[in-house]
């Protein structure tokens, strides 16, 4: 709850708080749901909008611009962001522009246009906006960034639900689902739920081995590559 005692309380939940990634994982769909109540436990009893922001673990990333030189595409200018969410999705009961003004949307990152990225070093604002737009476009096409303007359904101004799909290429780690209740352009309540995405089985073994024994993992990868190349050569010679 963000302000006084009369403001309502959000009670959020998720259909899965532990998503296991293993061989053959094709993605999954998260159901984010909950209720909005007044402090006495009764229904809040007023009109409101709901916005859900699902954010994956942040990571540093370099964004490079491609330029065609002599018929060949090469890397041109680039910039680095210190922290960019590996996954970012916004679902709302109505288009964001109809719910809050730009200042409020920017404060709470309510939409891809208001995603806050931290550039490494000094960069011209216009250039930063260009690279940010490129990153958002790339990850949107990969299914990692998305905006669902009618993605939240509200029932009798008490219950809400939103469905957000996670693609097969999601990064493991802790995901935060932050829900906002908004009335007349003002955020009146917010709450956070967490979802853990983790690898299991052989994929988990490989991940742990690569992290804890990086040298041996690198050597093993080289030996396997050489071995597979030798076997392929022998088979080709027998044909």
């Amino acid at each position: 709850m963000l302000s006084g005692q009369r403001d309502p309380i959000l009670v959020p939940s998720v259909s899965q708080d532990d998503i296991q990634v293993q061989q053959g994982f094709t993605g999954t769909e998260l159901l984010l749901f909950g209720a909005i109540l007044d402090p006495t436990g009764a229904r809040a009893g007023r009109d409101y909008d709901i916005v859900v922001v699902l954010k994956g673990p942040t990571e540093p990333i370099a964004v490079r611009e491609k330029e065609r030189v002599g018929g060949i595409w090469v890397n041109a200018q680039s910039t680095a962001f210190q922290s960019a969410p590996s996954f970012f999705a916004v679902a709302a009961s109505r288009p964001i522009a109809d719910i809050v003004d730009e200042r409020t949307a920017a404060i709470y990152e309510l939409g891809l246009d208001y995603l806050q990225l931290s550039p490494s070093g000094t960069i011209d604002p216009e250039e930063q906006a260009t690279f940010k737009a490129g990153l958002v476009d790339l990850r949107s096409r990969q299914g990692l960034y998305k905006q669902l303007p009618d993605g939240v359904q509200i029932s009798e101004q008490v219950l809400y639900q939103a469905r957000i799909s996670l693609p097969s290429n999601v990064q493991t780690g802790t995901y935060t689902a932050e829900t906002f209740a908004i009335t007349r352009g003002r955020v009146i309540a917010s709450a956070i739920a967490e979802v853990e995405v983790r690898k299991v089985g052989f994929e988990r073994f490989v991940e742990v081995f690569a992290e804890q024994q990086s040298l041996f993992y690198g050597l093993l990868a080289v030996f396997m590559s050489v071995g597979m190349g030798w076997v392929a050569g022998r088979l080709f010679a027998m044909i």
Side-chain angles (χ1 to χ4, degrees):
M1 188 168 60
L2 293 183
S3 55
Q5 294 182 349
R6 294 184 180 181
D7 284 343
I9 300 172
L10 273 171
V11 184
S13 187
V14 293
S15 57
Q16 304 176 66
D17 57 10
D18 183 25
I19 298 175
Q20 298 182 354
V21 177
Q22 53 188 335
Q23 187 174 6
F25 178 73
T26 58
T28 189
E29 184 180 68
L30 274 180
L31 173 62
L32 303 105
F33 60 96
I36 181 167
L37 307 169
D38 71 15
T40 65
R43 57 180 293 175
R46 66 170 110 169
D47 292 338
Y48 62 90
D49 285 288
I50 290 291
V51 180
V52 179
V53 179
L54 180 62
K55 187 183 297 187
T58 59
E59 58 185 357
I61 185 172
V63 181
R64 294 179 175 84
E65 184 180 32
K66 293 290 186 178
E67 183 176 294
R68 194 179 184 97
V69 178
I72 301 175
W73 289 100
V74 298
N75 291 330
Q77 291 183 310
S78 66
T79 191
F81 293 103
Q82 296 177 1
S83 59
S86 56
F87 182 89
F88 187 83
V90 178
S93 54
R94 290 189 295 156
I96 297 298
D98 297 339
I99 299 176
V100 295
D101 57 25
E102 292 188 356
R103 179 177 178 276
T104 302
I107 291 174
Y108 297 101
E109 291 186 287
L110 303 182
L112 293 175
D113 291 340
Y114 307 103
L115 179 61
Q116 298 175 13
L117 302 175
S118 302
S120 298
T122 304
I123 183 174
D124 178 75
E126 292 186 4
E127 185 177 345
Q128 178 183 344
T130 299
F131 280 105
K132 174 187 172 182
L135 174 62
V136 170
D137 177 67
L138 174 62
R139 292 197 164 177
S140 295
R141 287 187 279 111
Q142 294 173 336
L144 297 172
Y145 284 6
K146 59 188 68 179
Q147 190 160 311
L148 309 170
D150 297 308
V152 177
Q153 287 75 48
I154 302 175
S155 176
E156 299 181 354
Q157 294 303 117
V158 178
L159 305 177
Y160 70 87
Q161 67 172 17
R163 297 181 183 274
I164 298 177
S165 59
L166 297 178
S168 59
N169 55 336
V170 292
Q171 180 176 308
T172 57
T174 301
Y175 287 61
T176 59
E178 189 165 11
T179 303
F180 302 92
I182 302 170
T183 295
R184 298 175 182 174
R186 185 174 69 92
V187 175
I188 58 174
S190 68
I192 296 178
E194 291 187 348
V195 178
E196 192 71 26
V197 179
R198 60 190 180 92
K199 292 183 178 180
V200 296
F202 180 72
E203 287 76 10
R204 175 60 178 169
F205 169 77
V206 173
E207 181 180 52
V208 172
F209 181 70
E211 290 178 353
Q212 298 182 355
Q213 303 290 337
S214 57
L215 176 60
F216 292 110
Y217 177 80
L219 292 174
L220 180 61
V222 171
F223 289 142
M224 289 182 63
S225 298
V226 173
M228 292 177 66
W230 181 83
V231 171
R234 296 291 297 174
L235 291 175
F236 182 77
M238 294 173 61
I239 297 176

